[in-house]
Amino acid sequence: MVMEFYFDLILKEAWKFQALTLPNPAVGALVLDKYGKILSLQAHKQAGKPHAEVLALQEAYCELTSDKRIFELEESREIHQFLKENAKNIFEDCTLYVSLEPCLNEGKTPSCAKLLAELKIKEVCIATKDVNALASGGAEFLESLGISVIKAWELEELQTIHKKAEELLFPFVCLQNKGSFVLFKYASRLNGSIEGGQISSPKMQEFMHNIRAISQTLLISGKTIREDNPTLDTRFATFKDKKNPNVVILTKMQNFPKTAPLFDVPLRKIEIVSKIPKLKGFVFCEGGSEFLKTLKPYCDLLLLLISPRFSAEFQKIMQIEANCKILHTQMVGEDLALWLQL
Amino acid sequence: MVMEFYFDLILKEAWKFQALTLPNPAVGALVLDKYGKILSLQAHKQAGKPHAEVLALQEAYCELTSDKRIFELEESREIHQFLKENAKNIFEDCTLYVSLEPCLNEGKTPSCAKLLAELKIKEVCIATKDVNALASGGAEFLESLGISVIKAWELEELQTIHKKAEELLFPFVCLQNKGSFVLFKYASRLNGSIEGGQISSPKMQEFMHNIRAISQTLLISGKTIREDNPTLDTRFATFKDKKNPNVVILTKMQNFPKTAPLFDVPLRKIEIVSKIPKLKGFVFCEGGSEFLKTLKPYCDLLLLLISPRFSAEFQKIMQIEANCKILHTQMVGEDLALWLQL
């Protein structure tokens, strides 16, 4: 198959964990053996956990050796160490595809570029450059050691892949460049209706609570408290070290019940503001038409969660004027999530 | 990779041509070489054209031999003949994945099962059995010749794949079992709004006109003529032998202009009825809420075409009550198509 095929596989795998990896980028990777067989397909899942390349090498190691001990390791540092000790030579004919330039620096986890160099992997195909000055330089480092590096951004036939990789990286780039990534989420039914209580399925709620759990701030309006009276906690999140993000309530009138359940969630700061404050870190916004209209100039992406039903009873829909680009769609249980660029 | 991975690839490839292959089923196929490398990934595209297996073998032959002459052939019979003459032994270590049991009979095109047998392919992995009595028996035939056959429907770990393959096959099964497949299509914006003229992009119109071009009947309501005054032709279709399907207008009042452009389309029969007639063949329905409500008991699938924009001006949405299952989503240009089971 052509290179686009493998790049597409890793980009789609990475999108499954979009936003969940923040403040790290969403990244996908796969390993091909010397005959071109796919040995692994992996994505980075959460900051602090192993990078996509490391997970792909871990899975590929087991495929090549049938040595399952490597799956007992969860810490990136341990997997790096294990591979350096046990995977001598076995990757020398292999190709690694990765959606982002492998990191050269040692951050929370060791350098991926250095691991690839030590394993003497034959070829590394990269969809886009790292914009983070600290971590970048991996491609040049690998090339300087004689490893073949395919850089999608330099090849005309891979410009579409490069563009898709940049779209995948967009939330990370927002954080890097302007210090914030602002994601607005709302849920609707197939016919667009947004009223009538809980719309999303339990699986989608879990997905959404996982995103909440890694956001720094939940930004909502006074109207949301008045109308939905939400708890805005992370009780359905499956992330181990989940926390309840701080809440910022944007309101002019302050006419909402100060005894709403969201005020009872422990270990949370709540701020009530009358103007949009300086947005910092990963800001997750939830609300309706009016709130989206207010926040639109600040919104980086829109996450639309569609439940697979029609309602004849509820007819209220989002009232905004906007052209979007659909960056990615994914099923989450029986519901559909759309990532939209406004 | 595990078998599910390859089955998922061919199912997704086949969905791209859902309905477009009718009265044939949508089918996907791929070939792995002896090392497990993917040599090809293909889908059946239109009735009368080569089956998915034949296209996958054609592409795989070129990958293995670099002999591009095979791509000069478009007729299934020619490709069968070429492979039988030129591909002796080269597929003996290969595995073919296919979403539907290879046909045993000679129909418009020669038997796929017999071709696979003659090429002495090592293994055939099949997602679901053929329900067509005329074409079925391919799996047993291959097994009787000593070819390894993996049948997803017999393996517990492949039940999800089998179910997905049945969903893919559903339109074909409707035609087989009840003599009709009824597809209702409508277009909306991201916020659900359906008013305000042409909603779909040119790419989506082309997709939709291709579906129209292979349907036997367009079923619409008098209200659609009154409000949209459509031509209901296939001018944007890219299918070579495209035709303009017959139109059935369901109306009680007959209060629509008899000079509407759809009456001027040549070589078309138009029937005006006051009750839902006996539906036969592939019936493509287009309309709004009221019409969908009327047709819902007869509808096999719903095709929702979503344009990537929000409208503040247009707020009218589909007013029906229904729970659906999202069977498949696909990007068509910048728009999104959802295949829904009502």
Side-chain angles (χ1 to χ4, degrees):
Chain A
M1 304 296 282
V2 292
M3 284 197 283
E4 282 92 325
F5 175 78
Y6 300 107
F7 275 124
D8 259 330
L9 284 178
I10 60 172
L11 291 170
K12 283 195 183 115
E13 193 65 21
W15 265 105
K16 294 183 190 168
F17 302 92
Q18 182 61 282
L20 296 171
T21 61
L22 290 173
N24 279 6
V27 182
L30 64 75
V31 177
L32 298 181
D33 74 5
K34 63 175 165 181
Y35 301 111
K37 179 187 175 182
I38 303 172
L39 296 174
S40 58
L41 173 60
Q42 291 288 338
H44 183 45
K45 294 181 178 65
Q46 199 181 349
K49 292 201 171 172
H51 288 183
E53 300 93 315
V54 177
L55 293 172
L57 290 166
Q58 179 186 41
E59 191 184 359
Y61 172 84
C62 183
E63 274 292 304
L64 286 170
T65 62
S66 302
D67 178 359
K68 291 198 176 73
R69 286 179 304 155
I70 196 167
F71 282 129
E72 290 162 20
L73 309 175
E74 288 183 14
E75 290 289 322
S76 189
R77 201 167 295 277
E78 291 170 350
I79 304 171
H80 275 254
Q81 196 55 39
F82 185 97
L83 287 169
K84 285 175 185 172
E85 283 166 15
N86 296 279
K88 290 255 183 293
N89 313 317
I90 68 166
F91 290 113
E92 284 186 7
D93 291 311
C94 289
T95 298
L96 177 110
Y97 277 78
V98 60
S99 63
L100 179 66
E101 189 179 13
C103 62
L104 184 57
N105 69 320
E106 175 127 355
K108 281 182 195 159
T109 67
S111 160
C112 288
K114 286 180 185 161
L115 175 63
L116 291 166
E118 198 153 334
L119 296 176
K120 297 197 182 69
I121 198 150
K122 190 182 75 181
E123 187 168 73
V124 180
C125 306
I126 310 171
T128 191
K129 257 182 109 65
D130 200 338
V131 293
N132 181 338
L134 265 180
S136 67
E140 281 168 29
F141 170 75
L142 289 167
E143 273 181 328
S144 74
L145 297 172
I147 291 170
S148 162
V149 178
I150 303 286
K151 291 171 268 188
W153 60 95
E154 288 183 355
L155 298 172
E156 201 175 316
E157 69 271 28
L158 293 177
Q159 285 313 301
T160 308
I161 289 296
H162 178 223
K163 206 173 161 212
K164 283 191 199 174
E166 286 190 315
E167 288 171 355
L168 170 69
L169 210 59
F170 180 67
F172 171 73
V173 171
C174 288
L175 271 183
Q176 289 283 317
N177 291 356
K178 65 181 177 73
S180 69
F181 168 61
V182 182
L183 178 65
F184 192 101
K185 163 246 144 186
Y186 83 93
S188 85
R189 299 182 190 81
L190 281 164
N191 61 343
S193 73
I194 56 174
E195 284 177 310
Q198 183 60 47
I199 289 178
S200 295
S201 69
K203 265 278 162 217
M204 187 59 102
Q205 281 181 277
E206 177 188 315
F207 174 77
M208 210 257 291
H209 280 211
N210 277 335
I211 294 183
R212 264 189 199 162
I214 63 126
S215 69
Q216 268 87 54
T217 306
L218 284 179
L219 179 57
I220 59 161
S221 68
K223 194 175 175 217
T224 293
I225 304 180
R226 270 199 315 280
E227 292 184 358
D228 297 343
N229 201 21
T231 311
L232 294 174
D233 62 5
T234 54
R235 62 192 181 282
F236 299 128
T238 50
F239 273 8
K240 265 185 199 162
D241 45 355
K242 66 189 186 184
K243 53 177 182 38
N244 291 304
N246 297 331
V247 175
V248 173
I249 305 166
L250 183 65
T251 176
K252 286 225 167 70
M253 321 269 282
Q254 295 229 16
N255 56 346
F256 53 82
K258 304 298 182 298
T259 55
L262 78 93
F263 291 99
D264 295 332
V265 174
L267 301 172
R268 143 182 294 172
K269 275 201 297 189
I270 297 179
E271 218 179 323
I272 300 172
V273 297
S274 59
K275 276 187 192 166
I276 297 176
K278 172 123 184 75
L279 300 172
K280 277 167 74 177
F282 174 19
V283 181
F284 194 39
C285 315
E286 308 186 32
S289 287
E290 288 309 310
F291 199 45
L292 179 51
K293 245 184 260 178
T294 308
L295 289 181
K296 205 175 147 224
Y298 307 88
C299 255
D300 296 309
L301 290 183
L302 185 60
L303 178 59
L304 166 51
L305 312 179
I306 301 181
S307 151
R309 50 191 59 84
F310 289 83
S311 165
E313 187 186 349
F314 302 107
Q315 293 284 305
K316 195 180 145 193
I317 65 174
M318 275 304 210
Q319 293 200 33
I320 60 160
E321 197 68 48
N323 288 321
C324 296
K325 180 171 185 189
I326 301 171
L327 298 184
H328 181 71
T329 71
Q330 72 199 94
M331 294 298 294
V332 178
E334 296 175 350
D335 295 16
L336 180 67
L338 304 189
W339 293 91
L340 306 168
Q341 195 151 40
L342 276 162
Chain B
M1 303 297 282
V2 291
M3 285 198 282
E4 282 91 328
F5 175 78
Y6 300 108
F7 276 123
D8 259 330
L9 284 178
I10 60 173
L11 291 170
K12 282 194 184 115
E13 193 66 22
W15 265 106
K16 294 182 189 167
F17 302 93
Q18 182 61 281
L20 297 171
T21 61
L22 290 174
N24 279 7
V27 181
L30 66 75
V31 176
L32 298 181
D33 74 5
K34 64 175 164 180
Y35 301 112
K37 180 188 176 179
I38 302 172
L39 296 175
S40 58
L41 173 60
Q42 290 288 339
H44 184 45
K45 293 180 180 64
Q46 199 181 349
K49 293 203 170 169
H51 288 184
E53 300 93 315
V54 176
L55 293 172
L57 289 167
Q58 181 186 40
E59 190 184 2
Y61 171 84
C62 183
E63 274 291 306
L64 286 171
T65 62
S66 301
D67 178 359
K68 291 198 175 73
R69 287 179 303 154
I70 197 167
F71 281 129
E72 292 163 17
L73 309 174
E74 286 182 16
E75 289 290 321
S76 190
R77 202 168 295 278
E78 292 171 348
I79 304 170
H80 274 254
Q81 197 55 40
F82 185 98
L83 287 170
K84 284 176 186 173
E85 283 166 15
N86 296 279
K88 290 255 182 295
N89 312 320
I90 70 165
F91 289 113
E92 283 186 8
D93 290 312
C94 289
T95 297
L96 177 109
Y97 277 78
V98 60
S99 64
L100 179 65
E101 189 179 12
C103 60
L104 185 57
N105 69 320
E106 176 128 357
K108 281 182 196 160
T109 66
S111 160
C112 289
K114 285 180 185 162
L115 175 63
L116 292 167
E118 199 154 332
L119 297 176
K120 295 198 184 69
I121 197 151
K122 190 183 74 181
E123 186 167 75
V124 180
C125 306
I126 310 172
T128 189
K129 257 183 109 64
D130 200 337
V131 293
N132 180 338
L134 266 178
S136 67
E140 280 167 29
F141 171 76
L142 289 167
E143 273 181 329
S144 75
L145 296 172
I147 290 169
S148 164
V149 178
I150 303 287
K151 292 171 268 189
W153 60 94
E154 287 183 355
L155 297 172
E156 203 176 314
E157 68 270 29
L158 293 176
Q159 285 314 300
T160 306
I161 290 295
H162 178 225
K163 207 175 161 208
K164 283 190 198 174
E166 286 191 315
E167 288 171 355
L168 171 69
L169 209 61
F170 180 69
F172 171 72
V173 171
C174 288
L175 271 183
Q176 289 284 317
N177 291 356
K178 66 182 178 71
S180 70
F181 168 61
V182 182
L183 178 65
F184 191 102
K185 164 246 144 185
Y186 84 94
S188 85
R189 299 182 189 81
L190 280 165
N191 62 342
S193 72
I194 55 175
E195 286 177 308
Q198 184 60 47
I199 288 177
S200 294
S201 69
K203 265 279 162 215
M204 187 59 101
Q205 279 182 278
E206 176 188 315
F207 174 76
M208 212 257 291
H209 280 211
N210 278 335
I211 294 183
R212 265 188 198 161
I214 63 128
S215 68
Q216 269 85 54
T217 307
L218 284 180
L219 180 56
I220 58 159
S221 68
K223 193 175 174 218
T224 293
I225 305 181
R226 270 199 316 280
E227 293 184 357
D228 296 343
N229 201 21
T231 312
L232 293 173
D233 62 4
T234 54
R235 63 194 180 281
F236 300 127
T238 50
F239 273 8
K240 266 186 200 162
D241 45 353
K242 66 188 186 184
K243 52 174 185 42
N244 291 304
N246 297 329
V247 174
V248 173
I249 305 167
L250 183 65
T251 174
K252 287 225 166 69
M253 321 268 282
Q254 295 229 16
N255 56 346
F256 55 83
K258 305 298 183 296
T259 54
L262 77 94
F263 290 100
D264 296 332
V265 175
L267 301 173
R268 144 182 292 173
K269 276 200 298 190
I270 297 179
E271 217 179 322
I272 299 173
V273 298
S274 59
K275 275 185 194 167
I276 297 176
K278 172 123 185 75
L279 300 172
K280 277 168 74 179
F282 174 18
V283 181
F284 194 38
C285 315
E286 308 186 33
S289 287
E290 287 309 309
F291 200 44
L292 178 51
K293 246 185 259 179
T294 308
L295 290 179
K296 205 175 145 220
Y298 306 88
C299 255
D300 296 309
L301 289 184
L302 184 60
L303 178 59
L304 167 50
L305 312 179
I306 301 179
S307 152
R309 52 191 56 85
F310 289 82
S311 164
E313 187 187 349
F314 301 108
Q315 293 286 305
K316 195 179 144 193
I317 65 172
M318 276 304 210
Q319 292 201 30
I320 60 159
E321 197 66 49
N323 288 320
C324 296
K325 181 173 183 185
I326 302 171
L327 298 184
H328 182 71
T329 71
Q330 71 198 94
M331 293 300 294
V332 178
E334 295 176 352
D335 294 15
L336 179 68
L338 304 190
W339 294 91
L340 305 169
Q341 195 151 40
L342 277 161

